[in-house]
Every structure is written in C-alpha cells, then in structure tokens.
Amino acid sequence: MITDEAPFQAITARGVRKVYSTPSGAVEAVAEASFEIARGDFVSILGPSGCGKSTLMLMVAGLEPATSGALTLDGLPVAGPQISAGMMFQDPTLMPWRSVLDNVLVPVSMRRPVEADDLARAEHLLRMVDLWQFRDKRPRELSGGMRQRVALARALVTDPRILLMDEPFSALDAITRDEMGLALARIWDTTRKTAIFITHSIREAIFLSDRILVMGRRPSTIIEDIRVPFPRPRTPAVEAEPEFNDLYLHLKASIHRTTPAMH
Amino acid sequence: MTATHMTTDSHDPPRAGKPPEALSRVLAGVRAHARPIVLPLVTAALVIAAWEALVRVRNIPDVLLPAPSAVAVRLWETLPFLLQQAVPTTLETIAGFAISTVLGIALAVLVSASRLAREALYPNIVFFQLIPKIALAPLFIVWLGIGSSSRITFSVFISFFPVVVATLTGLTSVDRDLLRLCKAVGARPWKVYTEVRFPAAVPHIFSGLKIAITFAMIGVIVGEFITAQAGLGYMILFAASQAEMALIFAAIVLLCVIGLALYALVVLAEALALKRYGD
Ligand SMILES: Nc1ncnc2c1ncn2[C@@H]1O[C@H](COP(=O)(O)OP(=O)(O)OP(=O)(O)O)[C@@H](O)[C@H]1O
Ligand SMILES: [Mg+2]
C-alpha cells in the first residue's frame, strides 16, 4: 500500500545504464546514473546536448528499458510503461483533429471511457492554464504557448504521481517561455508533484527547481547534484538575489567543463 | 444599436465622392482572384485558336488533324452514343478506384502494423512501383478474359500502389513523442491505430487517392484498348481503324471531362476531410 506519507523516495535510480544498439554499432546514451528523488521534489536535469537526458527520462517512464541497473517508482521496480507518469515534450504533440478539451482527455480516453470525474478534472486544469474558454477550439487555432499549456493540462489530467517534462518550453519564444515558467511554478505550487524537468536553460532550472542534477558527456553520468535554497512560492524577484547569480555561474562553469571540445 | 451608430462605428466608412477608389479596389481584388483561373483559360483558348487557324490556313485534311470546330460538331452529333460508351468506362474507373482505396489502405495497415509483413512485403511493393505495369496488361486478358472484371482488375493493379505508399507514409508520420504518450497511458495498439495513426494518415491518404483516381482511369482505358469490347477506349481504337479523327478527339474530350469530374470529387472529399483532420 502506498500512501502519501509512505517514507519511500518517489524515484530511485541505481547504476542505470543505457546502450542503444543501432545498425552502426552500440551507442552508450547513459553510462551510469544513480540518484534518489524525494516525493514532492521538483528536479531539473541540465547537461550538454546528447548526454542522455531524454533517454534517462524515457527509462524512468518505462518507455525504454535500462540496459542494466535498477529504477523504482514509489518503491516499485519500473518494468514497462508507467501510467503514474504524466509527460510533456518539446513539441505539444496535440492531435489536430481533436478539440482542446478532447486533447486534454487523451490520456484517459486512450485507456477507458471518459467519466464525469475526468471531465471535471479536465475543466479544472483548463481553467488553471487559462484555456477553458478555448476548450472547443482546435490546436491549430492556438498559439505555441497555448498549445504547450494544453499539453501541461493533458499531462496532469490523470493526476499522475510524477511529472516528466523533456524541454517543454524549448520551442517557445523567450517571452512566452518566461510566462510558461511562471505558470508552471504557480501550478506546481498547488499540486507539488514529484517532477523531473529537462532543460537547457540554467535560469529556468534554478527558478523552478528544488534540486538540479547536471549530466556530463562521455561518460554520461551525473556530475553534480545541487539543492536550490530559495523558499516557495517563488517570484521572478529571486533572480535578483546574489545567490541566484552565484548558482547560475557555478552551473554554467560546470556544464562548460563537460564540453571541453566546444570553444 | 441604431442605424446612425452603425455607420459611424463602421471601420471603413464609405466616403462620399470617392467611389471610384473603392470600385478600383474591388476590381483589383477580383483581378487577383480571377488571375489563376483566367490565365490558363486564355492560354488554352489561344492554343485552340492557333490549332483552328493552322488547320484552315494549311488546309490540313480531316483524316490527319481535324479542326477544333470539326471536333465540336462531331462531339455534338455523336454525344448520345459517346455518353452511352462513357458509362462502362466511368463505372469501371470508379470500381477500380474503390477497390484500390480499400486494398491499398488495408495493405498499408498490414505493412505498418506487422514487422514480418513489412520486411516480407515492402521491398516488393517498392519494386512493383518500378515495373512498367502497362506492359503486363495482356496477361490480365489471358487470366480473366475480356470482360469488365479484367479491366477493373488491371485498373486496380495500376492504381493501388500510390494508395499503399501514401497511407504508409501517413501511418508512420505520427510524432514519436505522441506515440510514447499513448504507450505510457496504457493505450492498446489497435486504439493507437484507430485514434491516432489513422486520423493522422488521412491527409496523406488523400494525396495517394488523387493519384489513384487518374491511374484508375488510365488502367480502364488501356484495358478497353486491349479487350476491345466497349467503352470510350474501345471507341477511340475503333474510330482510329475507320480514320475517324474527329470522333477520336471527341471521345478524348469526353474522357477529359469525366476524368476532371472524378478528380474534382476526390478533391472535394479531401477538402471535407482536411477540415476535420488537417493541421
Ligand atoms: N532511439 C535511439 N536509438 C539510438 N540512439 C539513440 C536513440 N535515442 C537517443 N540515442 C542516442 O543516445 C544519445 C543520447 O540521446 P538523448 O536524446 O538521450 O540526449 P539528450 O541529452 O536528450 O540530448 P538533447 O539535449 O539534444 O535533447 C545520443 O548520442 C543519441 O544519438
Ligand atoms: Mg533530449
């Protein structure tokens, strides 16, 4: 029996390794990853392109099997797709033939008939992301930021225990991206879901996270594990704090160290 | 709201004394819209006029090249007869197209859903694309006789490959992350097909169908050439044997009209489908 008070870590990874076998040979996407994520922690993963961040997230979601090592979610080994994970990707990946509301309900309707409770939850989430009045619109009628907000509501519609986000704001312009960061922080404050958030933006990571993991490349392992000290709820004002800048410079240097070839 | 409000609030209040400007703007708009229709029509009219002039000036005999006016007269005289011949051609084209659609989509689903089917079939499908299929037409008569089943089968044979290839492209074009999301929430594979892959493939399928409808007609006409029983294709062959050039052209004109109409129907269906399934 798993309850919210259970002493489990929400996510644990021990010696997780992933080797893709491709026609042109084996690719070691993740060499060794070991970490624990406490329930309710928002954890960002930073790292150079191609270091295996997406692969790690897919393994946590049970969508790619680990070559070796052990992963658990709420104390149970990850074997096969995890229904308890809500997911967001770089692209909104909405279905153009479905309305906004029906898109939000996709994780439910793909598995079983939609019930009144699901509709109520979808409405609640759409109101939270300020899109309830757009519920009958098609994705093509929305802006990029609005679409990504639909994707956020969709990720939360099953009330998942963990939220996995792979560069969800990378395709947005800078202003929309900041707005989305604020919206995510606000929504996260009301749900406090365990979250893994992959990003290339150090500022975004600091602003949103309780903890930041930095992955290095060759070998791709976790080279840093930093706690972010700022209290919640956070406002953009934290960016002005000296500690924010120290953290920023520290992380920047640490990411740069992992990519010595790039100068 | 009162009438006076409506005029004062209007975004573009008509200014008294300046209607020519508005009129010229409207005319410019019409011109911009009409251009893509008018220009090709003018070109076609010029070509036909040149053809007419050439035949008249050089006194070219009808058995070599009839003037467009002669074709028009012949078309008018023989229209009831030609229409009668057009019925089997049209019906067989529609039958061939319909079978191609079902068969092509089914084969594409099979090939995309089963790895074994894909590995065993797909290279052959690609190879078949490359065969000059018209060369095989006589075989169909040997196997199926000279009836309409032979022509329809050949029409299917010619027109279903584009449907397979287009559908397959559509079924496999679905975003990888969307498929992952479906897998993560525990969607059954058939549900992913009916709810995600197939709707995503609809726009692609129509690009295949537009090719298939023209190919289906080519298949039927070639079949009619060879089986020599009935239909506009047979009419053309027969007219050629009688040196009835004007009749050949009349039959071709009718074929063009039918082909265009069938193609337009597919385009119409596509427009309706894209309203729902398009991006
Ligand atoms: N399905 C796959 N098959 C083979 N190799 C793969 C596959 N997915 C990823 N890789 C390889 O594994 C390595 C890590 O890829 P991954 O996508 O996890 O990196 P990433 O850190 O998410 O990169 P980015 O920041 O660019 O998104 C890369 O070298 C990539 O080419
Ligand atoms: Mg990635």
Side-chain angles (χ1 to χ4, degrees):
Chain A
M1 187 67 204
I2 295 157
T3 64
D4 279 346
E5 293 81 52
F8 288 121
Q9 299 285 352
I11 303 166
T12 69
R14 271 188 231 307
V16 171
R17 177 165 184 260
K18 177 70 187 185
V19 179
Y20 286 109
S21 48
T22 67
S24 53
V27 178
E28 187 180 60
V30 177
E32 202 275 340
S34 299
F35 55 86
E36 294 183 340
I37 294 177
R39 176 164 292 120
D41 258 5
F42 191 113
V43 177
S44 285
I45 300 180
L46 284 169
S49 189
C51 71
K53 305 179 294 294
S54 298
T55 301
L56 189 60
M57 194 189 97
L58 290 176
M59 287 192 287
V60 172
L63 292 169
E64 280 288 350
T67 308
S68 60
L71 269 165
T72 69
L73 254 158
D74 281 331
L76 301 172
V78 172
Q82 297 297 302
I83 291 175
S84 55
M87 298 210 285
M88 264 182 100
F89 306 95
Q90 184 165 345
D91 292 317
T93 63
L94 303 178
M95 300 183 192
W97 55 89
R98 286 191 182 219
S99 69
V100 164
L101 179 61
D102 286 343
N103 264 294
V104 171
L105 286 164
V106 159
V108 178
S109 67
M110 289 302 285
R111 194 170 29 166
R112 59 170 172 79
V114 172
E115 287 160 16
D117 281 358
D118 305 315
L119 275 173
R121 193 167 162 75
E123 173 174 352
H124 169 72
L125 289 166
L126 276 175
R127 285 188 192 282
M128 207 153 68
V129 296
D130 284 328
L131 288 175
W132 178 241
Q133 67 270 38
F134 294 97
R135 62 190 172 277
D136 293 324
K137 293 259 186 284
R138 297 294 196 80
R140 63 171 167 241
E141 298 171 87
L142 307 184
S143 71
M146 291 160 99
R147 283 182 218 171
Q148 207 48 294
R149 263 146 57 204
V150 176
L152 176 59
R154 180 182 63 182
L156 292 168
V157 77
T158 54
D159 200 9
R161 283 205 291 278
I162 63 168
L163 195 51
L164 302 175
M165 294 168 279
D166 190 353
E167 303 189 34
F169 308 148
S170 290
L172 303 174
D173 64 88
I175 292 170
T176 311
R177 185 173 188 149
D178 282 350
E179 284 170 8
M180 286 297 292
L182 287 172
L184 179 60
R186 174 171 56 81
I187 289 162
W188 187 83
D189 277 327
T190 68
T191 58
R192 298 272 165 153
K193 281 192 191 302
T194 312
I196 295 182
F197 183 87
I198 297 172
T199 181
H200 283 287
S201 161
I202 300 173
R203 292 184 173 277
E204 202 171 75
I206 302 174
F207 179 70
L208 289 168
S209 314
D210 298 302
R211 234 173 107 196
I212 296 173
L213 305 179
V214 179
M215 275 182 92
R217 188 164 47 180
R218 281 190 202 103
S220 84
T221 57
I222 289 163
I223 55 168
E224 278 231 54
D225 182 346
I226 296 175
R227 283 231 145 249
V228 180
F230 308 114
R232 290 182 186 273
R234 291 179 189 161
T235 62
V238 295
E239 297 207 21
E241 302 205 13
E243 252 180 308
F244 189 101
N245 212 37
D246 293 347
L247 209 50
Y248 174 81
L249 293 174
H250 176 83
L251 285 165
K252 194 171 170 142
S254 139
I255 292 167
H256 259 264
R257 240 176 290 126
T258 71
T259 50
M262 313 251 282
H263 274 121
Chain B
M1 198 190 270
T2 65
T4 36
H5 269 111
M6 280 175 84
T7 45
T8 47
D9 287 355
S10 164
H11 287 291
D12 199 359
R15 280 168 195 275
K18 280 203 173 179
E21 193 190 307
L23 190 70
S24 69
R25 207 165 43 213
V26 168
L27 280 181
V30 168
R31 229 175 289 141
H33 281 289
R35 209 179 147 91
I37 301 166
V38 170
L39 270 185
L41 284 181
V42 168
T43 312
L46 283 178
V47 169
I48 290 173
W51 173 1
E52 183 82 37
L54 180 78
V55 171
R56 283 175 189 242
V57 171
R58 305 289 301 266
N59 244 333
I60 297 176
D62 256 11
V63 289
L64 268 186
L65 182 68
S69 56
V71 173
V73 169
R74 200 81 179 97
L75 179 63
W76 180 248
E77 288 167 358
T78 54
L79 195 58
F81 173 67
L82 284 178
L83 283 177
Q84 197 188 328
Q85 296 299 316
V87 171
T89 306
T90 309
L91 292 182
E92 283 166 14
T93 300
I94 292 172
F97 172 73
I99 296 171
S100 279
T101 303
V102 174
L103 198 70
I105 291 174
L107 202 65
V109 169
L110 180 72
V111 165
S112 78
S114 145
R115 190 172 162 182
L116 177 68
R118 180 163 56 251
E119 288 174 353
L121 288 176
Y122 197 63
N124 291 318
I125 290 175
V126 173
F127 175 71
F128 253 92
Q129 281 272 76
L130 303 173
I131 295 181
K133 289 175 277 296
I134 288 180
L136 300 181
L139 288 177
F140 285 76
I141 299 173
V142 175
W143 292 329
L144 295 164
I146 55 167
S148 71
S149 66
S150 180
R151 291 186 290 271
I152 292 172
T153 309
F154 182 63
S155 163
V156 170
F157 178 66
I158 286 221
S159 63
F160 91 107
F161 291 104
V163 184
V164 178
V165 174
T167 309
L168 207 52
T169 308
L171 291 174
T172 50
S173 71
V174 180
D175 188 282
R176 225 162 58 159
D177 287 333
L178 182 56
L179 292 177
R180 283 181 175 138
L181 185 107
C182 294
K183 208 168 155 196
V185 299
R188 301 242 162 269
W190 68 266
K191 192 88 172 153
V192 176
Y193 258 88
T194 56
E195 298 282 321
V196 186
R197 283 189 189 270
F198 202 75
V202 166
H204 292 89
I205 291 175
F206 272 98
S207 66
L209 294 187
K210 283 191 287 190
I211 303 174
I213 189 71
T214 55
F215 279 23
M217 187 169 229
I218 294 175
V220 169
I221 294 168
V222 170
E224 286 171 349
F225 280 173
I226 295 175
T227 56
Q229 261 210 321
L232 288 174
Y234 167 62
M235 268 307 305
I236 290 170
L237 210 63
F238 177 78
S241 74
Q242 308 290 312
E244 276 268 18
M245 290 301 276
L247 187 56
I248 293 182
F249 279 103
I252 289 172
V253 169
L254 195 54
L255 274 177
C256 290
V257 170
I258 295 167
L260 213 63
L262 291 176
Y263 187 82
L265 284 178
V266 178
V267 170
L268 185 72
E270 179 186 39
L272 292 176
L274 286 190
K275 249 184 147 166
R276 176 154 174 71
Y277 294 105
D279 227 338

